[in-house]
Amino acid sequence: MKHSFSRRKKIFLSVTAGVVLVVFLAGAAGAAYISGKMDLLSRPSAGQGGSSQSGTDPGDAVLSFDGMDLSGIDVMENGGSIAPPEGGVNINSGVINVLLIGSDERENSADGSARADSIMMLSVDSRKNTWKLVSFERGVGVSIPNRGDDWLTHTYAYGGANLLMKTLQKYFKVDVSRYVKIDFSLFETAITDIGGVVVDMSQAEADYMNGIAGEQKWTAGTARLDGPTALVYARMRKLDSDWERVERQREVVQAAADQVATLSLPKLDLIANKLLPRIETNLTNGELWQLLFKMPVLLGKQAQQMTVPEREETWSISSGLQSSLIGCDFAAEADRLDRFLRGESSGEGADHVSAAAPSA
C-alpha cells in the first residue's frame, strides 16, 4: 500500500509539474509575442524623446515611471516676455501622464518640422483604475527659445516633443515626460481599420459635414465615421472655434477606445502589425507593459475630460502673429489641472463659455 501511494504521488507531482511548465512556456511565449509587437514602435533618436529600453517586466501594480530629464531646456532662453509661474512640477504618485501629439506632416514650419495640431494628455490613475483626457488649447501664448512669444502649438515645430513637454511642465506644472505621436494620415488609417467610430453629432455639425461632402449624408444624432470623415469631424473649427474642436477630438478618442474594446485578438494583431511602425513614442517597453496590464479595467470606462486653460478665464494678447495669443493665469490653471488629475474636481462644465480663439 505504501509503495502504491508513493507511485500515485509521483504521478500527481509529474502531472502538476507538466501543467506548470506548459503555463510557464505559454506565458513566456505570450510575453515574447507582445514584446515583439512593442519593438515595432518607432523610437526617437537620442536627445529627441528618451530611452527605448526593452523588457517584459510589468513592474509594480502601481504605475511608477522615471521621468525623462528635460532640465537642459530653458523656455525663456532668447525667448519672449510671457514667463511661466514660479514653483516646481506637481508630482502625483500612481498617476502616469502621456502626451498625445497629433501632427499634420503636410503643414511644415520653416525648418521642416510639422506642428502639433492636437495636444492632448492621457492621464491614468492606477490606484483608482480611471483615465482622463486633458486638451491643451493650442493658441495659448508661451515663450519659445530663440523665437519669442508664440502659440503653444509651435513649440513642437521648433523643438519637437521635448520642448513641448518642457513647456507644459513649466507653464502648467504637470508631470509629463512621455509621449506618443501620430500624424493625421495614420489617424485616418487607424480609425478605418478598427471599423470606424460612433459620435453624437449636433445638427450644426451634421450640416457642416454635409457641406464638405457635397451631399446629405448625416443628420443630428449618432453617426459612424470612417477615418477620413472622423478626421474632418475632429479638426473642424470654422463651425465654432478651437474650444469646441478639442471637445470633438476627445470624443473621437473615447469612441476609438470603445471600438477597440470590441475587436477580436486576431483583428488587433493585424492592426498592430500595420500601424505600430508608424507610431512614435519614448515610452519604454517596461512602461508599456505596465499600461497594458491596466487596459482590461480601463477600456469600456468613460474618461473624465477637461480643457486647459478654462475658457472663461482667458483673454487675448496682442502679438505680431496673424491672430492674437490666448492669455491666462498659469498659476491658477496649474492648480486647477493638478486638482483634476488628483480627482478633487471632475472637470465638467469647463468647456461651455464662448471666447475668441486663433483661427489658423
Side-chain angles (χ1 to χ4, degrees):
M1 176 67 77
K2 181 177 181 181
H3 174 74
S4 176
F5 174 79
S6 177
R7 185 172 60 184
R8 288 198 301 269
K9 183 176 181 181
K10 289 180 179 179
I11 293 174
F12 172 78
L13 291 175
S14 297
V15 171
T16 301
V19 171
V20 170
L21 179 60
V22 169
V23 171
F24 173 79
L25 292 175
Y33 169 80
I34 295 174
S35 292
K37 296 300 180 186
M38 292 177 181
D39 289 338
L40 294 176
L41 290 162
S42 173
R43 307 289 184 168
S45 58
Q48 292 298 316
S51 169
S52 60
Q53 300 171 13
S54 296
T56 59
D57 181 9
D60 298 329
V62 175
L63 299 180
S64 180
F65 299 171
D66 292 331
M68 188 176 63
D69 184 11
L70 300 174
S71 59
I73 301 176
D74 181 3
V75 298
M76 298 302 294
E77 182 179 3
N78 297 322
S81 60
I82 302 176
E86 297 294 328
V89 172
N90 295 314
I91 306 296
N92 297 310
S93 178
V95 175
I96 176 64
N97 301 315
V98 179
L99 191 63
L100 308 179
I101 304 172
S103 67
D104 190 344
E105 306 297 341
R106 299 166 300 178
E107 298 182 4
N108 295 331
S109 67
D111 64 357
S113 299
R115 73 180 176 187
D117 199 70
S118 174
I119 307 171
M120 190 183 305
M121 189 177 72
L122 165 68
S123 182
V124 177
D125 189 326
S126 63
R127 298 180 186 276
K128 300 177 181 178
N129 288 325
T130 58
W131 65 297
K132 299 176 182 180
L133 290 172
V134 177
S135 297
F136 294 94
E137 169 52 51
R138 67 194 186 110
V140 169
V142 296
S143 170
I144 299 180
N146 303 312
R147 296 295 305 180
D149 293 330
D150 208 329
W151 292 354
L152 175 64
T153 184
H154 290 163
T155 59
Y156 181 76
Y158 295 118
N162 284 356
L163 178 58
L164 176 53
M165 291 187 293
K166 181 64 174 183
T167 302
L168 294 176
Q169 285 184 4
K170 291 295 291 185
Y171 283 90
F172 297 109
K173 308 304 178 186
V174 61
D175 180 24
V176 59
S177 60
R178 294 291 183 254
Y179 76 93
V180 174
K181 191 269 289 185
I182 66 171
D183 64 63
F184 287 145
S185 63
L186 176 60
F187 172 88
E188 290 184 342
T189 301
I191 295 298
T192 297
D193 285 354
I194 66 174
V197 292
V198 176
V199 300
D200 187 14
M201 282 192 191
S202 67
Q203 187 60 56
E205 290 170 340
D207 291 342
Y208 187 91
M209 295 284 289
N210 289 331
I212 294 176
E215 58 180 307
Q216 296 297 309
K217 296 181 63 175
W218 293 281
T219 58
T222 57
R224 180 171 291 274
L225 306 177
D226 62 8
T229 51
L231 182 60
V232 171
Y233 179 78
R235 295 196 71 193
M236 62 181 180
R237 61 177 176 271
K238 293 183 179 178
L239 170 66
D240 30 54
S241 73
D242 265 3
W243 302 91
E244 284 78 17
R245 182 171 77 155
V246 296
E247 291 183 36
R248 286 188 285 268
Q249 290 172 352
R250 295 196 301 267
E251 181 183 9
V252 170
V253 170
Q254 176 71 67
D258 293 342
Q259 179 65 18
V260 166
T262 69
L263 301 182
S264 66
L265 290 178
K267 179 68 172 178
L268 289 172
D269 180 65
L270 290 174
I271 294 174
N273 288 336
K274 180 179 180 181
L275 302 182
L276 290 181
R278 298 173 59 188
I279 298 175
E280 179 181 305
T281 183
N282 68 342
L283 283 160
T284 67
N285 282 7
E287 292 165 348
L288 287 168
W289 267 100
Q290 293 186 66
L291 288 174
L292 184 63
F293 271 72
K294 286 295 177 182
M295 288 302 101
V297 296
L298 295 179
L299 287 178
K301 288 187 176 181
Q302 293 293 306
Q304 288 183 306
Q305 303 181 16
M306 187 171 76
T307 299
V308 176
E310 189 170 11
R311 191 173 184 177
E312 62 183 339
E313 299 297 330
T314 62
W315 56 85
S316 294
I317 302 174
S318 298
S319 70
L321 299 176
Q322 182 180 9
S323 299
S324 296
L325 301 175
I326 294 175
C328 67
D329 183 335
F330 287 109
E333 289 300 326
D335 179 67
R336 172 173 167 262
L337 174 58
D338 187 52
R339 286 187 288 108
F340 175 65
L341 296 180
R342 286 188 282 112
E344 294 182 5
S345 66
S346 66
E348 297 174 352
D351 302 321
H352 303 292
V353 181
S354 60
S359 59

